Amino acid sequence: MADDCRRQGFELERRIFELDNKCASLRTEKQDDDYLQNASAILDKLKSFYRQGGESSSLPKLLQDYTQVILDITFYEENKLVDQEFPEDCSPFKIQQLLQDLTEPEVLAGRLAPAQEVQSVLGLEVLECLYWRRGALLYMYCHTLHQRKQWIKKNKATFLKCLQEGVRYLMRMLQVRNSVKLNDGVVFHDSATANFLAEGIFSDTHLLTMMYIGEMCFWAVKYEDCSVDSTERKEDRLHFRDIGTQILHKYVLACEGPLQGQGWNTENAKEILSILQ
């Protein structure tokens, strides 16, 4: 067991120095990028930690810092893909690489601290961000592909798979924090806040996640309807339809209720709902 922990600790150290090389290479492209600068500063601190023989008791903080480096570097790489409008030749490989990078902190936390829950090691906000970033990346990719009708005709299964994975990541983001139960002794002075928390809506990002899920479910239903029927596809279609309807209904109630006048538009959500229902 001790040997396993030591070996995994070396693995984390190796990855930190690999990321440092990668970050330095990316900074030759854009030296003044804020995210790469932040990643570089954290990496300097992590390298110093290892050179000074850091203690294993610092593991949670070490993994949190490491995860922030991952988030910063991948954000820079994602923005490049978005700016290039997801080139058809390299995007599939690059997206899988980014998804793998954004999954690695969760895997490492599970391996290096097996006695603790991953969310207690990384923190709720960091874990939410990892799921959000993977789901949002696939949403942006699918949003671009959705406008390439000829591509979808030839690659419908790939498109539907990306939608499935994206919805799964975004749903998990919404489930990271347990919704507050209004009958568990918690007192709220603002009923709107209480209702938001009860529905699992903790921030603007949670609301945006709901809209992304609704759109992706709509695209999935649309293209599954054009596919050859099979038992599996029918089950998937019902799953997408139900998820999209439930999530967008909650989104509309929030935006036209307590958040009315706060800039949240519901026209697209209601149009999608009318089709899903």
Side-chain angles (χ1 to χ4, degrees), residues 34-48:
D34 291 341
Y35 291 94
L36 293 181
Q37 287 181 345
N38 188 58
S40 181
I42 297 174
L43 284 164
D44 285 343
K45 182 172 66 174
L46 290 173
K47 288 186 298 179
S48 176

Side-chain angles (χ1 to χ4, degrees), residues 160 224-238:
L160 291 170
E224 283 187 337
D225 282 341
C226 298
S227 301
V228 177
D229 277 343
S230 69
T231 302
E232 182 180 0
R233 291 197 182 281
K234 286 181 180 179
E235 289 177 356
D236 284 346
R237 185 166 65 242
L238 287 172

Side-chain angles (χ1 to χ4, degrees), residues 24 194 251:
Y251 171 86

Side-chain angles (χ1 to χ4, degrees), residues 117-213:
E117 292 186 2
V118 171
Q119 64 185 37
S120 68
V121 177
L122 296 180
L124 292 176
E125 291 186 2
V126 170
L127 190 57
E128 271 185 347
C129 190
L130 288 169
Y131 286 127
W132 157 252
R133 288 280 304 280
R134 281 174 280 179
L137 171 63
L138 286 167
Y139 168 82
M140 291 186 291
Y141 184 44
C142 290
H143 186 276
T144 300
L145 294 178
H146 183 245
Q147 302 169 50
R148 299 173 181 170
K149 308 301 182 185
Q150 293 303 314
W151 184 93
I152 290 182
K153 285 182 180 179
K154 299 176 182 178
N155 302 277
K156 191 175 298 179
T158 299
F159 182 59
L160 291 170
K161 183 172 182 283
C162 288
L163 290 170
Q164 177 78 36
E165 289 184 9
V167 169
R168 176 165 54 84
Y169 285 131
L170 293 174
M171 289 295 293
R172 291 193 68 178
M173 180 270 189
L174 293 177
Q175 295 162 0
V176 167
R177 307 189 204 200
N178 293 323
S179 297
V180 175
K181 295 180 176 58
L182 299 185
N183 60 353
D184 62 4
V186 180
V187 178
F188 295 97
H189 299 292
D190 181 350
S191 61
T193 299
N195 289 332
F196 279 150
L197 296 178
E199 293 294 340
I201 303 173
F202 295 91
S203 68
D204 287 355
T205 305
H206 287 78
L207 276 173
L208 187 58
T209 297
M210 292 178 178
M211 193 63 230
Y212 280 8
I213 290 172

Side-chain angles (χ1 to χ4, degrees), residues 78-97:
E78 286 174 31
N79 282 339
K80 282 178 60 179
L81 280 178
V82 172
D83 291 343
Q84 296 166 1
E85 298 183 342
F86 293 98
E88 290 186 18
D89 57 342
C90 66
S91 289
F93 171 78
K94 189 61 183 176
I95 285 171
Q96 286 307 310
Q97 188 178 54

